[in-house]
Amino acid sequence: MTKLLATLAALITALLAVPIACAALATTSNAAAEPETVTDPACLQAAPAAGQWRAPLATGYAITSRFGMRLHPVRRVWKLHNGVDLVAPPATPVVAAAGGTVTTASAHPAWGNHVVIQHTGGISTLYAHLATIKGGIKPGSRVAAGQALGVQGSTGYSTGAHLHFTVTVNGTDVDPQPFMTSHGAPLDGHPTTTTPARPAAGTVEGGVGFDLPQPAVRPDSLHNPALPIPADVEKLYKDAAAKYGLPWTLLAGIGMEETAHGRNTATSSAGAQGLMQFMPATFAHYGVDGNGDGRTVITDPADSIHSAANYLVASGALKGPDGIRRALFAYNHADWYVGDVLHYAHTYGGGTVTGTITDCEPGTESPLGPGAEPLPAGEAGRVLAWAKTKLGGPYVMGAAGPTAYDCSSYVQAAYRTAGITLPRTAQDQRDWLAAGHGQRIALGQEKPGDLIFINSYLGPTRVGHVALVWNSETKQTIEAASSSRGIVIGDYRNWTSKQIFEIWRVSG
């Protein structure tokens, strides 16, 4: 059993340790370098919904059969039980363990009524023996973590009502228990809830989330354990992380690796300075005033930490687990550095990145102007008519319908009614348009159905919210605004002063 668990742990580690897609330019300087960009073909496709992992049942449950060899209860032969059996009270909803795309939703002689969901990273999950499959769950459906798939049952080869739950990684079935534990959702009998990082109530929101990746190599942290964080420094980490949509532990990982949270801030041999060890040339470009005193100083702890957050986001840290690795690699071009920082980050608690799961480059903008033709009246009308049917509905961050949406999934679903597939998140939608699928429109030239992108809780350099133009004369939007406001008719007149305010027209 110990050998089996070790093998499974190695498999999970290998899955999470995705190769870094940047040039392996090693350096001895612990200092932020210029970021690099990588093209992801998924930018031109709709990305599946994502979010934190959770238990696949909506209530408490018991495990009645585990992963491994067993005597099959119906066929009476010894064979691998490729999942776990979970038993809950009658009529308990079965829910998606994570966001993704439904690939199967049908009856099967053995599995009975079953659903298969494809997630990112080569991971899929199977939900078998359902009494019923929920209406609307069909191949191609995008589901959010926690979205109902059906009801626990006893269809197929089954001797009693239960859920058979399988996790498959790159074509190989793995034990769901260690897998789910490693993804922050241990199968311990308790229902879990999807709780992506959220900004304060009442602010605009958008995007999805993913967990900090695990470290691969980490030579330095094997010998230098994570040190306690001074209270004032920890507050700076948390303030900067909240502003830029990062887990504060990621900034703490860099602070530990660079200066042990300010215990050694001497200028490095390469010339790096401050608590987060910036090179002056890099700081001149990415430095921000972190404490609002009107000055941006490389040796000021607040400025240094906020600048590190700004730099990580500019380097792609919000674009999936690989984006985290690339951003850290850009900070210091060494694989061991990436591993050390991630190890320290997990030691301090890990966390969820509020960002995207694709890696879209910004693309080349078309000239600003009214040159793009609006969608034909019929298509624009369908988009807005569908959007109107959802007015008053709930906003749920990471949700992708059919009963709840966030800002970008709402826009995505609206445009799907016109046969146009947009990417999943607000930033990716904007970048997709700039990559040749739309044209930027000058204020005053917008038409109903155009898209407005602004920065919000993800920081001043990142698109965090998207809305549809509802009435261009009165400057009204129709949007999934926030968890406190839901889906509403809004007003974009006061958005023009934001750091990011862009109007885009989808190419018809």
Side-chain angles (χ1 to χ4, degrees):
M1 179 62 71
T2 300
K3 184 176 181 180
L4 174 61
L5 292 176
T7 302
L8 290 171
L11 174 62
I12 294 168
T13 301
L15 168 68
L16 294 170
V18 181
I20 298 172
C22 293
L25 177 61
T27 176
T28 57
S29 169
N30 290 3
E34 286 296 314
E36 301 175 50
T37 57
V38 175
T39 301
D40 182 355
C43 299
L44 303 182
Q45 304 170 9
Q52 290 181 318
W53 286 78
R54 54 150 297 147
L57 288 167
T59 67
Y61 56 90
I63 298 178
T64 58
S65 185
R66 301 177 186 274
F67 183 93
M69 296 299 295
R70 71 167 188 179
L71 182 66
H72 193 283
V74 176
R75 300 175 65 185
R76 310 307 295 175
V77 296
W78 283 93
K79 62 176 298 185
L80 175 68
H81 185 233
N82 68 340
V84 292
D85 290 345
L86 311 176
V87 175
T92 292
V94 173
V95 299
T101 301
V102 175
T103 58
T104 303
S106 63
H108 183 274
W111 295 129
N113 296 324
H114 69 296
V115 175
V116 178
I117 300 175
Q118 184 67 49
H119 312 282
T120 57
I123 303 169
S124 65
T125 49
L126 163 71
Y127 311 77
H129 309 305
L130 306 183
T132 58
I133 297 174
K134 187 175 177 62
I137 300 299
K138 56 186 179 181
S141 300
R142 292 182 175 85
V143 295
Q147 186 170 333
L149 305 176
V151 175
Q152 171 193 261
S154 187
T155 56
Y157 290 167
S158 171
T159 59
H162 70 287
L163 169 68
H164 174 92
F165 177 62
T166 294
V167 176
T168 304
V169 177
N170 293 329
T172 301
D173 299 332
V174 302
D175 188 341
Q177 289 187 271
F179 176 91
M180 294 293 283
T181 298
S182 73
H183 284 71
L187 297 177
D188 56 6
H190 299 289
T192 49
T193 56
T194 304
T195 53
R198 295 178 182 270
T203 58
V204 290
E205 313 168 10
V208 293
F210 58 90
D211 293 335
L212 276 180
Q214 295 288 333
V217 295
R218 55 178 192 89
D220 191 49
S221 57
L222 289 172
H223 310 289
N224 296 310
L227 298 175
I229 305 173
D232 57 337
V233 175
E234 182 174 326
K235 183 178 185 304
L236 292 177
Y237 291 147
K238 291 179 176 179
D239 289 347
K243 181 176 180 180
Y244 287 90
L246 296 167
W248 73 269
T249 58
L250 184 64
L251 297 174
I254 293 175
M256 174 62 206
E257 179 73 12
E258 296 288 357
T259 65
H261 310 302
R263 291 176 173 86
N264 178 18
T265 57
T267 300
S268 75
S269 58
Q273 302 177 40
L275 192 148
M276 304 298 266
Q277 289 289 282
F278 270 97
M279 294 296 290
T282 307
F283 190 82
H285 188 68
Y286 294 99
V288 295
D289 178 8
N291 55 9
D293 65 358
R295 300 179 303 137
T296 303
V297 180
I298 194 170
T299 55
D300 182 281
D303 294 354
S304 185
I305 291 170
H306 278 73
S307 299
N310 181 44
Y311 179 84
L312 289 173
V313 170
S315 302
L318 300 181
K319 293 190 173 185
D322 283 354
I324 289 286
R325 290 190 174 92
R326 280 195 295 273
L328 293 174
F329 192 86
Y331 208 103
N332 187 339
H333 287 14
D335 291 341
W336 58 262
Y337 180 87
V338 175
D340 278 340
V341 170
L342 287 175
H343 170 75
Y344 289 134
H346 281 284
T347 300
Y348 292 122
T352 298
V353 183
T354 306
T356 176
I357 55 173
T358 61
D359 193 19
C360 296
E361 287 188 61
T364 302
E365 294 185 22
S366 303
L368 183 67
E373 290 295 322
L375 288 175
E379 292 185 7
R382 280 194 294 274
V383 169
L384 294 174
W386 180 91
K388 185 178 179 181
T389 66
K390 301 299 180 180
L391 278 174
Y395 175 107
V396 176
M397 191 175 186
T403 58
Y405 297 86
D406 61 21
C407 70
S408 52
S409 67
Y410 178 67
V411 165
Q412 183 188 52
Y415 264 87
R416 194 178 295 125
T417 65
I420 297 172
T421 302
L422 299 176
R424 174 60 179 84
T425 67
Q427 180 69 62
D428 284 349
Q429 288 169 359
R430 184 267 174 207
D431 293 347
W432 181 83
L433 290 165
H437 299 274
Q439 183 169 9
R440 190 171 173 187
I441 303 299
L443 180 63
Q445 300 294 325
E446 66 271 20
K447 300 290 184 184
D450 287 344
L451 299 179
I452 301 178
F453 298 96
I454 61 173
N455 63 288
S456 63
Y457 73 108
L458 293 176
T461 64
R462 179 82 180 167
V463 170
H465 186 66
V466 59
L468 290 154
V469 174
W470 175 252
N471 187 317
S472 56
E473 298 298 323
T474 57
K475 307 301 183 189
Q476 288 179 302
T477 62
I478 185 167
E479 58 182 301
S482 69
S483 55
S484 61
R485 297 172 62 201
I487 298 175
V488 299
I489 299 293
D491 186 329
Y492 61 91
R493 286 174 296 182
N494 63 342
W495 289 358
T496 58
S497 61
K498 287 185 166 290
Q499 293 95 332
I500 298 175
F501 173 80
E502 297 180 5
I503 305 171
W504 284 83
R505 181 164 298 159
V506 179
S507 296

